[in-house]
């Protein structure tokens, strides 16, 4: 409230001081540059379109770019946005470690940068990070597997395989670490075993979060370690885009009881698989909340307000302000972290309230609203 009142006073002062002068750039409609990783993955399509909508409804111009999951393309997109003199850059990085040089140009032009969902590394040219609690996502996935399979009372050690994300995405390691923080004691005690022996983040990573690669890797794992009838009890998939490939491989190449398989994002195909019993859960991260928080933070930055805990009052959604967890190699980036939701067959309906979904005519599958 106080913040709002102060900005109103400052706006009034600004108006008085500029009365009679040529209109300042500050009074013009501001332009937001949005750089999203790829149109091919459902989640980024949704983020891009929704961010565009909310910024436009708040009176901003928007330049939106999708980079085809290609690092050079994203660098090029950013160069264009910077050359166009956007007022703020919002970037979901294809590869968080490759943008620091390009962002130097943003710094020279005083264009603030918000890292959206994925952290940007090795640069001080990032004002703020907005995401979900990525470590928590991994913890929730692991806890779901434990709750579903009760390893402590099982009459045999349980078999699990891990399918992690792209090493170029800082989030992927957080998902893995969160998962391991819960699962490691069970791997150490032998209650869970990984027959393929692929256990480190690097060993289990999937380049570019590719569905096809996840499918092929799972096929190979099944052929090499499960062909003789070894049961596969669980697969930790970091994201739905991987899960969809993994469940296809399981459906075609594995004849045992369907394993517990995790996911993240609430992709339509994954929600369908949850209804069909091929996928066990997903983590839904409310993209609308993430976009709304981003708008508030961008406004605050453009109005030169402080980026701090107090800003959370403006968000109206549960959110933590974290100044410690996201060290990008040059600085600890102040972060606003939203809370993820666990979605299973039992609470699918919740998505019609909190997400852009509705039931199809037969009330069987969720579809995009
Ligand atoms: C996002 C996830 C998404 C993954 C693959 C991550 O950075 O946080 O929501 O599933 O990228 O696109």
């Amino acid at each position: 409230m106080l913040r709002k009142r102060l900005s109103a006073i400052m706006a009034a002062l600004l108006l008085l001081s500029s009365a009679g002068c040529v209109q300042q750039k500050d009074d013009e409609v501001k332009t937001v540059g949005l750089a999203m990783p790829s149109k091919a993955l459902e989640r980024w399509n949704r983020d891009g379109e929704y961010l565009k909508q909310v910024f436009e409804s708040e009176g901003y111009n928007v330049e939106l770019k999708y980079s085809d999951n290609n690092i050079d393309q994203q660098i090029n997109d950013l160069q264009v946005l910077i050359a166009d003199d956007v007022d703020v850059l919002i970037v979901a990085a294809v590869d968080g470690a490759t943008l620091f040089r390009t962002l130097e140009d943003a710094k020279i032009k005083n264009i603030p940068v918000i890292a959206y969902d994925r952290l940007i590394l090795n640069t001080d040219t990032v004002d703020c990070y907005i995401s979900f609690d990525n470590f928590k996502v991994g913890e929730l996935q692991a806890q779901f597997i434990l709750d579903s399979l009760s390893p402590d009372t099982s009459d045999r050690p349980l078999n699990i395989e891990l399918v992690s994300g792209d090493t170029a995405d800082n989030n992927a390691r957080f998902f893995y670490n969160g998962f391991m923080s819960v699962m490691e004691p069970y791997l150490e005690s032998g209650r869970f075993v990984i027959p393929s022996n692929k256990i480190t983040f690097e060993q289990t990573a999937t380049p570019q979060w590719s569905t096809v690669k996840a499918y092929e890797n799972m096929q190979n794992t099944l052929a090499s370690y499960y062909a003789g009838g070894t049961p596969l009890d669980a697969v930790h998939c970091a994201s739905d885009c991987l899960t969809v490939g993994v469940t296809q491989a399981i459906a075609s190449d594995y004849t045992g009881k369907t394993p517990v398989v995790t996911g993240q994002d609430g992709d339509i195909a994954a929600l369908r698989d949850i209804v069909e019993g091929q996928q066990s859960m997903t983590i839904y991260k409310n993209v609308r909340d993430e976009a709304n928080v981003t708008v508030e933070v961008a406004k605050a930055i453009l109005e030169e307000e402080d980026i701090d805990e107090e800003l959370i009052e403006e968000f109206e959604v549960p959110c933590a302000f974290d100044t410690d967890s996201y060290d990008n190699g040059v600085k600890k980036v102040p972060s606003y972290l939203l809370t993820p939701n666990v979605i299973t067959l039992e609470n699918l309906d919740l998505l019609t309230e909190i997400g852009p979904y509705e039931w199809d005519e037969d009330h069987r599958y969720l579809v995009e609203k």
Side-chain angles (χ1 to χ4, degrees):
M1 282 313 282
L2 178 66
R3 184 189 296 278
K4 280 209 170 126
R5 238 175 286 133
L6 282 176
S7 355
I9 292 167
M10 278 175 64
L13 285 175
L14 210 77
L15 212 74
L16 280 176
S17 69
S18 67
C21 302
V22 178
Q23 211 181 21
Q24 304 277 317
K25 182 165 192 274
D26 276 0
D27 300 331
E28 290 165 5
V29 174
K30 297 224 159 44
T31 301
V32 178
L34 293 177
M36 293 287 119
S38 157
K39 227 179 183 331
L41 293 181
E42 196 174 314
R43 113 136 259 203
W44 302 113
N45 248 328
R46 228 180 255 154
D47 287 70
E49 295 309 320
Y50 194 68
L51 277 163
K52 184 167 183 296
Q53 252 177 51
V54 250
F55 273 108
E56 284 177 347
S57 71
E58 294 273 339
Y60 293 87
N61 279 334
V62 173
E63 280 190 46
L64 168 60
K65 308 271 183 204
Y66 291 98
S67 310
D68 211 12
N69 242 334
N70 181 307
I71 296 168
D72 292 337
Q73 175 69 43
Q74 187 158 58
I75 289 174
N76 193 52
D77 288 344
L78 287 172
Q79 282 166 345
V80 171
L81 293 170
I82 294 167
D84 285 354
D85 281 328
V86 296
D87 294 281
V88 57
L89 271 175
I90 295 169
V91 185
V94 172
D95 179 341
T98 55
L99 303 179
F100 60 98
R101 259 188 223 104
T102 314
L103 292 181
E104 283 299 303
D105 296 340
K107 190 178 186 173
I108 292 166
K109 289 192 156 186
N110 252 332
I111 301 173
V113 177
I114 297 177
Y116 181 82
D117 202 83
R118 297 174 170 176
L119 190 61
I120 300 170
L121 306 176
N122 307 329
T123 173
D124 63 352
T125 311
V126 50
D127 296 79
C128 170
Y129 176 49
I130 297 163
S131 192
F132 281 78
D133 185 339
N134 297 305
F135 192 85
K136 181 97 200 149
V137 169
E139 285 181 320
L140 291 170
Q141 291 167 329
Q143 195 54 51
F144 181 88
I145 293 175
L146 295 182
D147 295 345
S148 308
L149 292 173
S150 311
D152 290 325
T153 51
S154 153
D155 53 8
R156 62 172 172 82
L158 296 164
N159 296 324
I160 186 168
E161 296 295 336
L162 317 188
V163 182
S164 306
D166 188 351
T167 49
D169 177 357
N170 191 60
N171 288 351
R173 195 177 288 277
F174 272 78
F175 302 145
Y176 174 87
N177 288 342
F179 171 81
M180 271 303 178
S181 72
V182 175
M183 192 51 83
E184 204 154 34
Y186 293 86
L187 291 168
E188 275 168 6
S189 70
R191 293 317 295 159
F192 269 100
V193 175
I194 303 180
S196 71
N197 230 359
K198 287 182 201 138
I199 183 164
T200 64
F201 173 59
E202 283 75 14
Q203 283 169 336
T204 58
T206 314
Q208 294 192 304
W209 292 96
S210 156
T211 304
V212 174
K213 195 79 197 133
Y215 171 73
E216 289 168 358
N217 286 348
M218 196 58 192
Q219 277 194 316
N220 290 338
T221 301
L222 290 171
S224 308
Y225 304 98
Y226 294 88
T230 304
L232 172 63
D233 299 296
V235 186
H236 171 239
C237 286
S239 164
D240 288 346
C241 55
L242 306 175
T243 318
V244 169
V246 165
T247 50
Q248 272 172 29
I250 291 171
S252 61
D253 295 19
Y254 175 74
T255 50
K257 183 167 173 254
T258 308
V260 173
V261 188
T262 62
Q264 161 175 213
D265 284 348
D267 285 357
I268 294 290
L271 298 176
R272 206 182 170 94
D273 285 348
I274 291 180
V275 172
E276 295 297 337
Q278 285 165 292
Q279 180 169 336
S280 318
M281 61 91 81
T282 190
I283 302 283
Y284 183 62
K285 303 194 299 191
N286 195 330
V287 167
R288 286 170 185 226
D289 290 348
E290 197 172 9
N292 291 336
V293 167
T294 304
V295 173
E296 290 304 326
V297 174
K299 276 202 251 172
I301 291 179
L302 288 170
E303 283 166 27
E304 294 182 17
E305 290 180 20
D306 291 337
I307 296 302
D308 58 16
E309 190 148 22
E310 216 188 300
L311 196 60
I312 288 180
E313 284 171 33
E314 315 283 326
F315 300 164
E316 291 166 10
V317 287
C319 184
F321 184 64
D322 183 334
T323 49
D324 199 47
S325 302
Y326 288 91
D327 189 333
N328 79 346
V330 172
K331 73 184 220 188
K332 287 188 174 173
V333 184
S335 307
Y336 293 99
L337 303 176
L338 292 131
T339 310
N341 291 88
V342 173
I343 300 293
T344 65
L345 186 60
E346 279 66 47
N347 69 348
L348 268 182
D349 200 44
L350 178 65
L351 289 181
T352 62
E353 287 162 40
I354 63 170
Y357 308 93
E358 63 187 6
W359 290 105
D360 66 2
E361 275 177 10
D362 304 329
H363 205 278
R364 179 161 175 76
Y365 300 117
L366 285 170
V367 291
E368 198 95 26
K369 210 186 279 182

